[in-house]
Amino acid sequence: MAHANPSKFTPRLGRSPSELRPVLIERGAAAFAEGSCLVSFGQTRVLCAASVEDGVPGWRKGRGEGWLTAEYAMLPRATRTRTARERGQLGGRTQEIQRLIGRSVRAMLDDFRFGEYTLKVDCDVLQADGGTRTAAITGACVAVADAFDTIVRAGKISRTPVRRRVAAVSVGIVDGEARLDLDYDEDVRADVDMNVVMSSEGGFVEVQGTGERGTFDRGQLDALLGLAIAGIARLDEAQLAAQGQARP
């Protein structure tokens, strides 16, 4: 896969307001992880790797239940200028995003009665051009499903607890226009910025919406949600297509 030159990043790349960037989900991108994929939303690329560990956090011990959590990080040159690594204490943005990813992938499960195992999803941003959290959630879903399938085949659990897929997309109002799947140049100019997470059953998992430069009305909110719902339906199709392919 060719690496893009940041100087060639072009806003919107000729997309219509309701069009996603090109989406690519490559399963098995981390050979040693129980489940993994490399997900691309246009120039944004995130490596999602799901690892299964024996045991659970102390507050869950003795219940016979497992746990599912996530971590998020951005490589220093994922951005157009180098960003320092976060060492020691995580920044507020990183904590917010990894909690969002964790909540989203936990919504894939009906329950945690799969034994005292912890599944950790690492979402590492290799290249950032907007929508890193939504790409991470969409890829993490595929990695989590594969990880549970792996431990079912290994005989550690009898069945997968995964009952639904989740996917996420950004929407916003840029230059007075509602747009789907914002790239970086659009995101920094957006009057309204929103991230929407939904399940494959059509329910909302989380909606994060902010008037960055003022307020927005009900009509604009409905337009944004309409774009997000249609976009997530297409992401769900991409997940299904990826899961239908054999892993390397």
Side-chain angles (χ1 to χ4, degrees), residues 12 17 170-172 174-175 177-182 186 189 227:
R12 206 79 200 154
S170 65
V171 287
V174 184
D175 299 332
E177 180 179 61
R179 298 183 186 180
L180 175 68
D181 191 20
L182 306 186
E186 294 173 306
R189 295 188 295 114
L227 283 176

Side-chain angles (χ1 to χ4, degrees), residues 128-146:
D129 186 36
T132 60
R133 73 187 70 191
T134 55
I137 290 166
T138 303
C141 169
V142 174
V144 166
D146 278 350

Side-chain angles (χ1 to χ4, degrees), residues 158-247:
S158 60
R159 64 176 181 86
T160 177
V162 173
R163 294 293 171 266
R164 60 195 65 84
R165 293 174 301 283
V166 295
V169 75
S170 65
V171 287
I173 297 175
V174 184
D175 299 332
E177 180 179 61
R179 298 183 186 180
L180 175 68
D181 191 20
L182 306 186
D183 59 31
Y184 174 80
D185 290 313
E186 294 173 306
D187 186 53
V188 296
R189 295 188 295 114
D191 295 316
V192 178
D193 182 25
M194 185 176 293
N195 297 295
V196 180
V197 188
M198 294 184 70
S199 78
S200 54
E201 297 170 337
F204 290 99
V205 178
E206 190 149 344
V207 178
Q208 300 179 332
T210 304
E212 299 284 358
R213 294 179 175 83
T215 61
F216 54 101
D217 61 28
R218 175 63 183 270
Q220 291 171 314
L221 175 61
D222 289 345
L224 291 173
L225 288 176
L227 283 176
I229 291 168
I232 288 173
R234 296 197 289 275
L235 291 173
D236 185 68
E237 292 172 358
Q239 290 172 325
L240 275 174
Q243 289 175 324
Q245 300 168 357
R247 281 192 282 176

Side-chain angles (χ1 to χ4, degrees), residues 2-248:
H3 294 277
N5 183 335
S7 66
K8 296 181 180 178
F9 283 27
T10 305
R12 206 79 200 154
L13 293 172
R15 288 185 291 140
S16 73
S18 61
E19 188 177 354
L20 291 170
R21 290 174 286 180
V23 176
L24 178 63
I25 301 174
E26 178 190 347
R27 292 169 71 209
F32 303 118
E34 282 82 359
S36 67
C37 74
L38 176 64
V39 59
S40 301
F41 282 17
Q43 303 291 356
T44 290
R45 297 187 177 94
V46 185
L47 177 63
C48 303
S51 304
V52 180
E53 300 178 353
D54 291 334
V56 292
W59 56 275
R60 291 189 74 86
K61 286 183 179 178
R63 301 185 190 182
E65 295 181 335
W67 187 237
L68 175 54
T69 189
E71 295 187 9
Y72 169 95
M74 188 177 293
L75 296 184
R77 277 320 305 258
T79 48
R80 301 185 186 196
T81 58
R82 187 182 186 278
T83 302
R85 295 181 191 274
E86 292 182 314
R87 303 183 187 277
Q89 186 172 356
L90 295 178
R93 177 181 180 275
T94 297
Q95 293 185 54
E96 174 207 347
I97 292 174
Q98 63 187 31
R99 287 169 182 163
L100 171 63
I101 299 168
R103 291 192 299 269
S104 298
V105 292
R106 286 192 289 272
M108 297 171 63
L109 315 181
D110 275 343
D111 58 58
F112 294 92
R113 295 194 296 269
F114 53 85
E116 293 196 351
Y117 295 101
T118 296
L119 194 148
K120 294 182 179 178
V121 192
D122 291 294
C123 298
D124 291 294
V125 179
L126 308 182
Q127 186 165 278
D129 186 36
T132 60
R133 73 187 70 191
T134 55
I137 290 166
T138 303
C141 169
V142 174
V144 166
D146 278 350
F148 277 117
D149 286 346
T150 295
I151 59 175
V152 168
R153 289 194 300 270
K156 291 186 174 182
I157 61 176
S158 60
R159 64 176 181 86
T160 177
V162 173
R163 294 293 171 266
R164 60 195 65 84
R165 293 174 301 283
V166 295
V169 75
S170 65
V171 287
I173 297 175
V174 184
D175 299 332
E177 180 179 61
R179 298 183 186 180
L180 175 68
D181 191 20
L182 306 186
D183 59 31
Y184 174 80
D185 290 313
E186 294 173 306
D187 186 53
V188 296
R189 295 188 295 114
D191 295 316
V192 178
D193 182 25
M194 185 176 293
N195 297 295
V196 180
V197 188
M198 294 184 70
S199 78
S200 54
E201 297 170 337
F204 290 99
V205 178
E206 190 149 344
V207 178
Q208 300 179 332
T210 304
E212 299 284 358
R213 294 179 175 83
T215 61
F216 54 101
D217 61 28
R218 175 63 183 270
Q220 291 171 314
L221 175 61
D222 289 345
L224 291 173
L225 288 176
L227 283 176
I229 291 168
I232 288 173
R234 296 197 289 275
L235 291 173
D236 185 68
E237 292 172 358
Q239 290 172 325
L240 275 174
Q243 289 175 324
Q245 300 168 357
R247 281 192 282 176

